[in-house]
């Protein structure tokens, strides 16, 4: 293809072909038609979409629609509400310097001619060509008229169609055709799903697009989670692992969209939309079968398979469903859906006649849905070969799958197939499916933790002991989905206000206003955040009253404690640490705020259950400021921070105080308890705590001081055990059953993918906390 040096307007595939064919260096400047139009008129700054969302309250998709539409209009009144709204948006963009013009481009354009390769005769193209001709000479290059007549193959199912294509590719490879000269056109999601599987079975590399949607990556979820509470992107980036493969992708997104100076909380919805469409970085094959989304120009040496040659998809039928309807497009002198469908039909027809080594295939059914062949078959009078025989011998696994499928039909419906007689299923692993988790190799696990050492916290240790497979799905595969739900945001809000309450210059209303602005991001949030504000006001009064009576006057909030060991780091945050240091002894109590309905128990802690409170005990034993001091842990508590529904038949204040009482375990030592709670004999501060004539009441949740080191040692042993198993890749499907109840699967997000069977359940005996099985922990 002889081309004049200068601007070449084509798609990326054609650019690659031209560069591959050229033996000498030529002065080519490649642009797509869209890029040329933007250079000649204007383009929007990268952060225009975000600014539209921020200014107008648009969703990402609506902001994108407006951004795409502004280039189709002039800055004038159309007496049409929708068109005038687009003009209004365009004016906002210009006023805020979000529109850019490339003034220097016109000088470059005058120096070189422009060559359009295979342009489509749309109204948009005619307008662009006319505009370009005002500055320079324009050439058009079209494929030569030929009269190839490809064969068409009809298949009953999409699987048979895909198998045929892979068999044909295998034959081409046997004949010495290079992988880089083989193409598959018109591949949608259904074909892509099948071809990925067949690619492995046949040993044929196919160059798929990178998987989109980075939201499923744990690294991205960690980033979005930090956007909820951090005030700058730079501080978030400083906290992330810069060696992670997605770190540079994230930095590029922030830089490209000019977000670094924006408040992270304001950007979450925008970032979620952008990252959902971002591709995972992937390795490129030196040689592979290539995909093309649409029919492009091919060389004489190329072999092309056009799949899905069905009605509606060949050619693709455009519907009047865009932001601008056909009536509005016609008013703007743009091509309507009818115009584009007519052009696409003629274009595909000419392409078929002009493409050598072309094979067309289509299917009749996908599951229960029927498909019809393209009208182009009849128009071009192409020969159709219906249900050609699919030979065996190209891929052993696929051969076996086909044969056992035929055998199933015979067993269920008595339908005998001649292939069963010819090949049989003696070597096929019929009914041998094993659902169990296959351990990862030590090499794989070592590589996983090479640049990202294992970090444990109570939440993921809890997952591991409940069922190792749930930890694997959540933390190794990263299948958990980031959802900034209102409950989580309300929890963040409550924690922040409670943390502020211990600062010297605390102002309740200022703190509430600040943190509500950061977390109440949806209109429906307002009511619930108002209710929580009332709860927090009363909770602070309750806490202050009892803290004044307590001898533990030093209060730390959000105490971050890390225990660094050879193979892992265990970390946690203690919401409120109350303590007193006296004569080289520390007297401390731990309070964790909870917006939810957690079960307060120490039963079965030796099996890894209910480790939250014991893990705080372990962390406190490693707290650097207490090093060398004798530690007395007086109590481990949760304090529920929930919206309260009152029974107005009784005293409201008494009800509220009861809801705010600490729930947890206290040391069975009156002298120590009195330091924290002087009312311990009939406590008004700690739930289920009291003393009768025979000692602590039966329902009191207490532990012996001698059990403190025992619990700490038990937690450390469980952490070591979890770390060793995780590093070794031990993630069996092993839910736990206690007292006849499956305690692992009830709220598990991954039970639909593990396919556990009854024998996978591990039966554990109920082990109430306390010496000798006494639930009170008393002798």
């Amino acid at each position: 293809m002889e081309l004049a040096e200068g601007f070449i307007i084509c798609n990326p595939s054609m650019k690659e072909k031209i560069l591959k064919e050229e033996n000498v260096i030529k002065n080519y400047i490649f642009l797509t038609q869209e890029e040329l139009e933007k250079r000649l008129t204007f383009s929007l700054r990268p952060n225009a979409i975000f600014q539209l969302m921020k200014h107008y309250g648009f969703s990402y998709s609506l902001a994108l629609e407006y951004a795409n539409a502004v280039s189709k209009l002039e800055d004038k009144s159309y007496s049409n509400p929708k068109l005038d709204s687009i003009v209004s948006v365009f004016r906002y963009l210009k006023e805020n310097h979000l529109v850019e013009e490339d003034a220097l481009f016109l000088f470059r354009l005058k120096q070189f001619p422009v060559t359009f390769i295979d342009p489509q005769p749309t109204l948009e193209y005619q307008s662009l060509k006319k505009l370009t001709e005002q500055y320079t000479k324009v050439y058009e290059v079209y494929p030569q008229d030929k009269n190839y007549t490809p064969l068409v193959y009809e298949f009953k199912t999409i699987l048979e169609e895909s198998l045929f294509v892979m068999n044909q590719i295998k034959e081409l490879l046997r004949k010495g055709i290079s992988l880089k000269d083989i193409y598959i056109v018109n591949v949608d999601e259904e074909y892509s799903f099948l071809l990925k599987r067949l690619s492995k079975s046949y040993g044929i590399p196919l160059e798929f697009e990178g998987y989109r949607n980075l939201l499923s990556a744990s690294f991205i979820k960690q980033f979005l989670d930090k956007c909820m509470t951090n005030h700058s992107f730079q501080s978030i980036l400083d906290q992330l692992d810069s060696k992670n493969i997605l770190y540079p992708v994230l930095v590029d997104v922030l830089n490209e969209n000019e977000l670094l100076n924006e408040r992270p909380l304001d950007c979450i919805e925008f970032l979620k939309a952008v990252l959902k469409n971002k591709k995972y970085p992937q390795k490129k094959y030196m040689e592979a079968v290539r995909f093309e989304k649409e029919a492009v120009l091919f060389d004489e040496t190329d072999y092309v398979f056009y799949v899905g040659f069905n009605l509606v998809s060949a050619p693709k039928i455009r519907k009047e469903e865009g932001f601008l309807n056909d009536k509005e497009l016609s008013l703007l002198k743009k091509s309507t859906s009818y115009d584009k469908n007519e052009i696409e039909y003629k274009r595909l027809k000419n392409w078929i006649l002009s493409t050598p080594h072309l094979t067309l295939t289509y299917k009749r059914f996908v599951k229960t849905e029927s498909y019809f062949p393209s009208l182009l078959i009849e128009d071009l009078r192409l020969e159709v070969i219906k249900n050609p025989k699919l030979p065996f011998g190209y891929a052993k696994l696929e051969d076996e799958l086909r044969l056992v499928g035929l055998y199933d039909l015979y067993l269920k419906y008595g339908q005998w197939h001649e292939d069963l007689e010819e090949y049989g299923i003696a070597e096929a692993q019929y009914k041998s499916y094993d659902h169990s988790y296959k351990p990862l190799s030590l090499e794989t696990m070592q590589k996983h933790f090479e640049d990202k050492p294992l970090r444990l916290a109570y939440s993921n240790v809890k997952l591991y002991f409940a069922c190792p497979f749930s930890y694997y799905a959540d933390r190794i595969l990263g299948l958990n989905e980031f959802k900034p739900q209102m409950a989580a945001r309300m929890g963040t809000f409550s924690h922040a206000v409670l943390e502020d309450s211990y600062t010297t210059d605390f102002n309740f209303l200022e703190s509430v206003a600040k943190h509500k602005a950061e977390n109440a991001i949806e209109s429906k949030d307002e009511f619930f955040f108002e209710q929580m504000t009332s709860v927090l006001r009363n909770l602070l009064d309750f806490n202050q009253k009892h803290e004044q009576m307590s001898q533990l006057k030093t209060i730390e909030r959000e105490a971050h404690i890390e225990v660094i060991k050879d193979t892992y780091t265990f970390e946690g945050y203690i919401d409120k640490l109350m303590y007193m240091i006296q004569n080289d002894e520390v007297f401390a109590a731990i309070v964790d705020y909870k917006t939810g309905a957690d079960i307060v128990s120490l039963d079965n802690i030796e099996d890894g259950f209910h480790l939250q409170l014991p893990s705080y005990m372990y962390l406190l034993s490693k707290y650097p400021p207490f090093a060398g001091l004798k530690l007395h842990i007086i109590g481990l508590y949760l304090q529920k921070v929930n919206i309260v529904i009152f029974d107005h038949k009784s005293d409201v204040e008494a009800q509220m105080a009861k809801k705010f009482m600490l729930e947890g375990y206290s040391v069975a030592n009156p002298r120590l308890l009195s330091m924290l709670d002087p009312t311990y004999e009939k406590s008004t501060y700690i739930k289920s705590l009291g003393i009768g004539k025979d000692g602590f009441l039966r329902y009191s949740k207490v532990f012996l001081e001698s059990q403190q080191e025992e619990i700490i040692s038990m937690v450390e042993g469980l952490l070591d055990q979890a770390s060793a198993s995780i590093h070794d890749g031990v993630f069996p499907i092993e839910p736990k059953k206690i007292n006849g109840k499956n305690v692992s699967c009830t709220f598990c997000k991954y039970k639909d993918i593990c396919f556990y069977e009854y024998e996978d359940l591990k039966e554990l005996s109920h082990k109430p906390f306390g010496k000798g099985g006494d639930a009170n922990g008393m002798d």
Side-chain angles (χ1 to χ4, degrees):
M1 185 186 301
E2 285 295 326
L3 299 172
E5 291 187 301
F7 290 95
I8 308 297
I9 313 303
C10 63
N11 58 42
S13 297
M14 179 53 63
K15 171 185 174 181
E16 193 172 320
K17 284 182 177 296
I18 293 169
L19 292 174
K20 185 173 66 175
E21 289 174 359
E22 290 294 345
N23 295 319
V24 294
I25 297 175
K26 291 190 176 180
N27 189 13
Y28 289 149
I29 308 159
F30 290 95
L31 294 174
T32 64
Q33 192 168 308
E34 182 183 29
E35 288 169 340
L36 175 61
E37 185 175 3
K38 288 180 178 179
R39 296 284 187 91
L40 282 169
T41 54
F42 65 86
S43 61
L44 300 182
R45 287 185 64 85
N47 68 334
I49 306 296
F50 171 72
Q51 294 301 335
L52 290 179
M53 292 174 67
K54 187 176 177 180
H55 181 74
Y56 291 100
F58 289 163
S59 66
Y60 177 83
S61 57
L62 184 58
L64 197 60
E65 292 278 18
Y66 268 97
N68 290 333
V70 294
S71 64
K72 296 179 172 64
L73 283 75
E74 298 177 42
D75 188 354
K76 67 178 186 180
S77 174
Y78 287 89
S79 299
N80 176 297
K82 185 193 291 186
L83 299 183
D84 288 339
S85 73
I86 297 171
V87 172
S88 176
V89 166
F90 183 42
R91 289 171 180 168
Y92 164 78
L93 292 169
K94 286 199 294 185
E95 288 165 5
N96 289 274
H97 311 291
L98 296 169
V99 173
E100 293 182 322
E101 295 180 357
D102 190 348
L104 294 176
F105 179 72
L106 295 179
F107 292 103
R108 293 189 67 201
L109 189 63
K110 292 175 181 177
Q111 299 173 34
F112 303 101
V114 172
T115 302
F116 290 93
I117 298 181
D118 196 23
Q120 302 310 303
T122 61
L123 293 175
E124 288 84 351
Y125 168 68
Q126 299 299 341
S127 175
L128 179 62
K129 177 186 174 184
K130 187 175 180 180
L131 179 60
T132 307
E133 286 176 330
Q134 295 178 17
Y135 302 99
T136 189
K137 190 170 183 59
V138 170
Y139 299 102
E140 295 173 309
V141 175
Y142 294 96
Q144 296 179 3
D145 290 335
K146 295 178 183 177
N147 196 25
Y148 294 109
T149 53
L151 289 175
V152 183
Y153 294 86
E154 175 188 289
F155 296 91
K156 184 177 179 181
T157 67
I158 188 173
L159 174 58
E160 291 173 349
E161 181 186 3
S162 301
L163 285 168
F164 171 80
V165 170
M166 295 302 284
N167 286 350
Q168 293 297 305
I169 292 174
K170 200 79 171 180
E171 277 298 318
L172 290 174
L173 296 177
R174 287 177 180 175
K175 293 176 182 178
I177 304 301
S178 172
L179 282 166
K180 60 183 173 53
D181 293 330
I182 303 173
Y183 295 83
I184 305 177
V185 181
N186 200 36
V187 174
D188 61 16
E189 287 185 7
E190 287 179 308
Y191 284 103
S192 181
F193 178 80
L194 266 175
L195 291 170
K196 279 182 182 178
R197 190 194 88 195
L198 297 179
S199 172
K200 294 177 182 178
S201 300
Y202 279 79
I204 299 174
L206 304 179
E207 194 170 274
F208 294 95
E209 268 196 346
Y211 174 68
R212 292 180 184 271
N213 192 359
L214 298 186
L215 291 183
S216 59
S218 58
F219 179 80
I220 297 299
K221 279 176 267 190
Q222 180 188 6
F223 164 71
L224 291 172
D225 199 21
K226 292 182 183 296
C227 286
M228 299 290 292
T229 54
N230 282 262
H231 299 295
S232 78
F233 281 115
Q234 190 56 58
S235 68
I236 295 173
L237 292 173
D238 291 342
Q239 297 173 53
L240 296 176
D241 178 11
S242 60
K243 294 180 181 178
N244 190 289
I245 191 173
L246 296 179
Y247 186 88
V249 177
L250 198 54
V251 172
D252 286 346
V253 167
L254 295 175
N255 284 327
E256 287 167 6
N257 294 284
E258 302 175 2
L259 297 179
L260 284 174
N261 294 323
E262 299 288 343
R263 192 173 71 147
L265 186 65
D266 295 339
C267 304
I268 287 178
E269 292 307 311
F270 174 79
L271 286 168
K272 285 172 65 179
V274 172
L275 292 168
K276 189 174 183 179
N277 289 295
K278 271 283 179 185
K279 298 177 187 176
Y280 274 86
Q282 66 171 19
K283 295 179 181 177
K284 288 271 188 181
Y285 289 109
M286 291 294 291
E287 285 196 6
V289 175
R290 299 279 299 277
F291 290 135
E292 292 291 350
K293 290 184 178 179
E294 56 185 30
V296 297
L297 295 180
F298 289 101
D299 298 331
E300 293 285 340
T301 57
D302 293 333
Y303 289 78
V304 183
F305 296 89
Y306 191 112
V307 297
F309 197 62
N310 290 90
L311 189 66
V312 178
S313 63
K316 290 182 174 65
I317 303 298
R318 298 174 186 268
K319 298 179 181 179
E320 187 185 6
E321 54 187 19
F323 187 54
L324 295 172
N325 59 37
D326 281 349
K327 184 178 179 181
E328 291 158 346
L329 288 169
S330 183
L331 177 66
L332 297 170
K333 296 181 180 179
K334 306 294 180 183
S335 296
T336 63
S337 60
Y338 177 82
D339 298 330
K340 291 175 182 176
N341 287 334
E342 190 174 22
I343 290 168
E344 184 60 26
Y345 187 89
K346 292 177 181 176
R347 176 177 176 273
L348 186 57
K349 182 178 177 179
N350 293 334
W351 177 81
I352 290 170
L353 297 174
S354 304
T355 303
H357 310 306
L358 173 64
T359 301
L360 305 172
T361 64
Y362 68 90
K363 72 275 182 185
R364 293 306 302 267
F365 299 98
V366 175
K367 297 178 182 177
T368 58
E369 190 173 354
S370 298
Y371 286 76
F372 297 95
S374 170
L375 296 176
L376 282 164
I377 295 175
E378 186 176 340
D379 191 352
L380 294 171
R381 298 180 182 179
L382 300 175
E383 179 186 350
V384 177
I385 300 173
K386 297 191 175 185
N387 300 313
K389 184 176 175 62
L390 291 172
F392 290 84
Y394 289 98
K396 184 175 183 293
L397 177 60
E398 297 304 325
D399 289 349
E400 291 178 352
L401 286 171
R402 287 167 61 194
L403 288 168
V404 296
L406 294 173
Y407 189 57
D408 269 340
L409 290 176
Y410 170 67
L411 292 178
K412 293 175 182 176
Y413 308 110
Q415 297 177 10
W416 182 255
H417 195 283
E418 60 183 14
D419 287 341
L420 286 172
E421 189 168 341
E422 185 175 351
Y423 299 101
I425 63 163
E427 295 184 12
Q429 298 179 18
Y430 185 61
K431 287 190 174 179
S432 61
Y433 173 69
D434 180 8
H435 80 285
S436 63
Y437 163 76
K438 305 298 184 297
L440 297 173
S441 68
L442 287 175
E443 183 183 359
T444 299
M445 294 309 298
Q446 286 170 0
K447 188 174 181 181
H448 179 81
F449 291 116
E450 197 172 66
D451 298 321
K452 188 180 179 182
L454 177 62
R455 296 187 73 86
L456 295 175
Y458 158 70
S459 58
N460 48 45
V461 174
K462 173 186 175 182
L463 265 182
Y464 188 83
F465 284 110
C467 176
F469 183 81
S470 64
Y471 177 94
Y472 172 68
D474 195 277
R475 303 293 168 157
I476 304 298
L477 297 182
L479 300 181
N480 53 327
E481 183 181 358
F482 172 79
K483 290 183 178 179
Q485 297 173 338
M486 185 178 69
R489 289 185 278 107
M490 196 178 293
T492 303
F493 163 70
S494 303
H495 275 69
V497 174
L498 289 168
E499 184 181 347
D500 286 353
S501 70
Y502 293 98
T503 57
T504 53
D505 57 348
F506 173 66
N507 181 296
F508 179 75
L509 293 178
E510 288 180 3
S511 177
V512 165
K514 173 188 173 185
H515 297 299
K516 188 189 289 186
E518 294 170 351
N519 294 283
I521 58 178
E522 298 178 11
S523 56
K524 64 181 179 181
D525 294 347
E526 188 62 31
F527 170 78
F528 295 100
F529 275 77
E530 281 299 319
Q531 296 298 308
M532 183 58 82
T533 299
S534 176
V535 169
L536 291 171
R537 180 182 283 108
N538 290 290
L539 175 60
L540 289 175
D541 289 342
F542 175 86
N543 283 346
Q544 287 169 7
K545 172 185 172 183
H546 287 280
E547 286 163 8
Q548 285 171 3
M549 293 190 288
S550 171
Q551 295 178 48
L552 310 184
K553 296 299 185 183
T554 304
I555 297 177
E556 286 189 31
R557 64 247 194 257
E558 289 293 312
H560 180 220
I561 305 175
E562 279 190 335
V563 181
I564 301 173
K565 305 197 77 172
D566 291 340
T567 57
Y568 68 92
T569 297
F570 182 68
E571 67 175 336
Y573 288 84
I574 297 176
D575 288 340
K576 182 164 73 172
L577 173 59
M578 307 169 65
Y579 68 92
M580 172 180 70
I581 297 178
Q582 192 176 72
N583 299 326
D584 294 331
E585 293 183 281
V586 180
F587 303 90
I590 294 168
V591 179
D592 189 64
Y593 303 125
K594 281 294 171 187
T595 51
D598 285 53
I599 297 173
V600 180
S601 173
L602 293 182
D603 295 354
N604 286 82
I605 58 172
E606 52 262 67
D607 296 312
F609 286 86
H610 306 124
L611 279 180
Q612 182 173 13
L613 294 177
S615 68
Y616 289 140
M617 185 180 280
Y618 170 69
L619 286 169
L620 197 58
S621 74
K622 306 294 184 182
Y623 193 34
F626 297 167
L629 304 177
K630 181 174 177 55
L631 176 64
H632 301 275
I633 298 177
I634 297 172
L636 309 158
Y637 308 103
L638 302 182
Q639 187 170 46
K640 303 293 180 66
V641 188
N642 294 318
I643 294 174
V644 183
I645 300 175
F646 299 112
D647 175 5
H648 291 281
K649 294 179 182 178
S650 56
D651 184 67
V652 170
E653 287 189 13
Q655 291 179 66
M656 185 173 290
K658 189 175 180 181
K659 295 285 186 183
F660 295 152
M661 291 178 77
L662 306 183
E663 298 180 44
Y665 285 78
S666 307
V667 67
N669 183 320
R671 181 182 69 85
L672 297 179
L673 261 180
S674 64
M675 294 180 177
L676 170 66
D677 178 20
T679 71
Y680 71 92
E681 293 185 0
K682 193 176 181 181
S683 183
T684 59
Y685 191 26
I686 303 166
K687 194 173 183 179
S688 302
L689 179 64
I691 290 184
K693 60 180 181 178
D694 297 321
F696 284 96
L697 297 175
R698 180 180 56 81
Y699 54 75
S700 296
K701 292 180 180 293
V702 293
F703 63 90
L704 297 174
E705 188 168 16
S706 61
Q707 289 177 292
Q708 176 177 304
E709 290 305 319
E710 181 185 334
I711 293 171
I712 290 170
S713 178
M714 186 184 298
V715 171
E716 186 165 33
L718 288 167
L719 294 174
D720 290 345
Q721 178 188 332
S723 170
S725 297
I726 291 168
H727 277 99
D728 290 343
V730 180
F731 305 112
I733 297 172
E734 193 179 72
K736 310 304 189 299
K737 191 176 181 181
I738 302 176
N739 274 351
K741 180 182 178 182
N742 184 332
V743 295
S744 300
C745 300
T746 307
F747 300 107
C748 179
K749 296 182 288 186
Y750 309 108
K751 59 186 176 183
D752 292 335
I753 63 172
C754 79
F755 304 109
Y756 83 90
E757 295 179 354
Y758 181 78
E759 51 267 29
D760 296 321
L761 279 167
K762 183 176 181 180
E763 184 85 37
L764 299 176
S765 61
H766 180 221
K767 300 165 187 168
F769 172 72
K771 288 194 173 183
D774 188 304
N776 283 335
M778 297 290 288
D779 291 327

